[in-house]
Amino acid sequence: MYILPFAGIGGTERHVLALVRNLKQRHRLCVLSPRGPGADMFRSEGVGFYEIMALEFDRNFFAAVASLRSRLDQAIRESGVSLIHVHANIGLALLSRLMTRRHRPAGHRLPLVFTAHGAHEASATLEYYIDCRLANRVADAVICVSGAEAARFRDLGIIPSKLHLIYNGIDEPRWNLSAGQLRSRYGIAREAVVIGTVARLERVKGVDLLLRAFAEAAGDTVYGHRNIVLAIIGSGSEECELRALARALGVADRVLFMGMIPEASACLPMFDIFVVPSRHEAFPLACLEAMAAGKAVIATRVGGIPEAVVDGETGILVESEDVPGLARALRGLVADPDRRRALGAAGRARYEKMFRGSDMAARTEGVYFHVLAGRDSGKGEPAGERSGKDPGDRKIELPGEPEIGRYVTT
């Protein structure tokens, strides 16, 4: 059973969708989530879907708790649930643990796995602390999607035996339209250099930084390519402000706000350069999708991004908030199509080696088997019981990195 706190079409939802697509032939799966555009994605996969109310402490909290309890009982009764996997919200994990105590298949409590998907706002440090403390009490396993996240949990005192590092992964991209067809649809010249990004239009995603860097690069006559376009896919609360910023910077005629596109990766063929300008990230799927599409990536050196993008080999990394640095990276790649192709090819190879959705699903399935085996043997470490080992001594496995060794101390 997968439980999500929201059902948009962001990274968390697409992460779970990849798990569903790769595991549904081997397991009976069901999904609990609130109503949202992402809910239809799960329904279309033919797995059990149970709608719950969004868990918001400032609105309808008790009604949401009642909704969760009712749907948990229904899903367990109808789908024969033997394991619960909660994503992105430790409060849902705590409630799920409390509400399922009376459901004890074969005399055992239901194992619970929790995957953290990053915290990006001003309260991030507090959120990580709470996640770690509660996960120690209620989760049998904690999955982090990047080494940077795993290190934060380790430093905050997660029980070492619970911690698993499994990189995000995506399925092989498929496109119905060619680059030329996409450019024709959106009114972009075939000879233009298209810089693209896919992001929620919120401050944390740094689209304002990209606009400023694009304006700086577009106004530079030195690098010799005047026909450049910035395509922004996504929606959010800052869209009006970003449109106003593009006008103020004098580049509104070169910036295409494409809105929310459910399968945004379908537009990747028309991009020459893909940018991830985020101020904070865990391990963005959009970056992996661009690599899988063979696109040169420019990204900020935050969160788990440096674990995906190798600076100078598969893309270019710049510091967060460094608009001049981002502008220099844009100018360099706009002027050098050969380097764009080389970086894109290397990124594609790295995707094939490390970030396939099927590999992520297989490793996650391995965690399921691990916690189920521990439950059935009676040798597993119960939630809330410390192993006695120093968390600082924990060695975290980095899957798919044979060139640096099977184990790396973080």
Side-chain angles (χ1 to χ4, degrees), residues 274-343:
F274 190 85
V275 184
V276 184
S278 301
R279 290 180 167 91
H280 304 280
E281 281 289 356
F283 201 81
L285 292 186
C287 184
L288 303 185
E289 289 170 341
M291 292 167 61
K295 303 300 175 181
V297 175
I298 301 173
T300 47
R301 192 180 276 105
V302 297
I305 289 177
E307 299 167 55
V309 179
V310 181
D311 190 24
E313 180 181 326
T314 69
I316 299 174
L317 295 177
V318 299
E319 298 303 321
S320 176
E321 307 270 2
D322 182 5
V323 171
L326 180 53
R328 284 193 299 272
L330 289 172
R331 283 196 295 267
L333 289 189
V334 165
D336 193 342
D338 289 338
R339 190 178 187 212
R340 293 200 303 264
R341 285 189 286 270
L343 291 174

Side-chain angles (χ1 to χ4, degrees), residues 174-322:
R174 294 181 176 86
W175 302 290
N176 296 322
L177 299 176
S178 67
Q181 290 171 319
L182 286 165
R183 291 185 179 210
S184 177
R185 168 179 287 187
Y186 292 104
I188 300 173
R190 286 179 176 268
E191 67 274 11
V193 175
V194 181
I195 300 163
T197 192
V198 179
R200 287 183 291 112
L201 302 187
E202 308 291 347
R203 185 180 183 279
V204 68
K205 295 300 184 179
V207 178
D208 59 312
L209 306 175
L210 175 56
L211 277 170
R212 295 182 186 280
F214 175 77
E216 187 175 325
D220 191 333
T221 59
V222 174
Y223 67 93
H225 201 302
R226 302 292 300 162
N227 194 4
I228 61 173
V229 175
L230 174 60
I232 300 171
I233 299 177
S235 63
S237 65
E238 292 202 345
E239 182 170 348
C240 290
E241 294 177 28
L242 293 170
R243 287 179 179 271
L245 178 60
R247 290 192 295 270
L249 293 169
V251 293
D253 59 331
R254 298 192 190 193
V255 178
L256 179 62
F257 285 90
M258 300 173 64
M260 179 61 70
I261 299 176
E263 293 291 340
S265 61
C267 294
L268 286 172
M270 74 175 183
F271 297 163
D272 297 291
I273 302 166
F274 190 85
V275 184
V276 184
S278 301
R279 290 180 167 91
H280 304 280
E281 281 289 356
F283 201 81
L285 292 186
C287 184
L288 303 185
E289 289 170 341
M291 292 167 61
K295 303 300 175 181
V297 175
I298 301 173
T300 47
R301 192 180 276 105
V302 297
I305 289 177
E307 299 167 55
V309 179
V310 181
D311 190 24
E313 180 181 326
T314 69
I316 299 174
L317 295 177
V318 299
E319 298 303 321
S320 176
E321 307 270 2
D322 182 5

Side-chain angles (χ1 to χ4, degrees), residues 2 15 18-24 26-27 143 164-169 171 354-370 399:
Y2 295 109
H15 173 107
L19 292 176
V20 167
R21 286 174 172 169
N22 284 280
L23 297 178
K24 66 181 182 180
R26 301 197 293 274
H27 304 280
I143 296 174
H164 301 264
L165 169 58
I166 302 177
Y167 284 133
N168 272 338
D171 292 328
M354 296 183 62
F355 304 122
R356 288 188 177 277
S358 57
D359 294 336
M360 176 191 72
R363 290 169 182 137
T364 304
E365 184 182 36
V367 173
Y368 299 162
F369 288 143
H370 173 75

Side-chain angles (χ1 to χ4, degrees), residues 381-400:
E381 182 180 81
E385 180 178 316
R386 285 198 170 273
S387 65
K389 297 179 182 178
D390 180 0
D393 293 336
R394 172 66 170 165
K395 287 180 182 282
I396 300 172
E397 185 174 355
L398 294 180

Side-chain angles (χ1 to χ4, degrees), residues 12-22 41-42 45:
T12 299
E13 299 92 326
R14 288 184 289 145
H15 173 107
V16 176
L17 185 63
L19 292 176
V20 167
R21 286 174 172 169
N22 284 280
M41 297 190 303
F42 296 112
E45 294 299 321

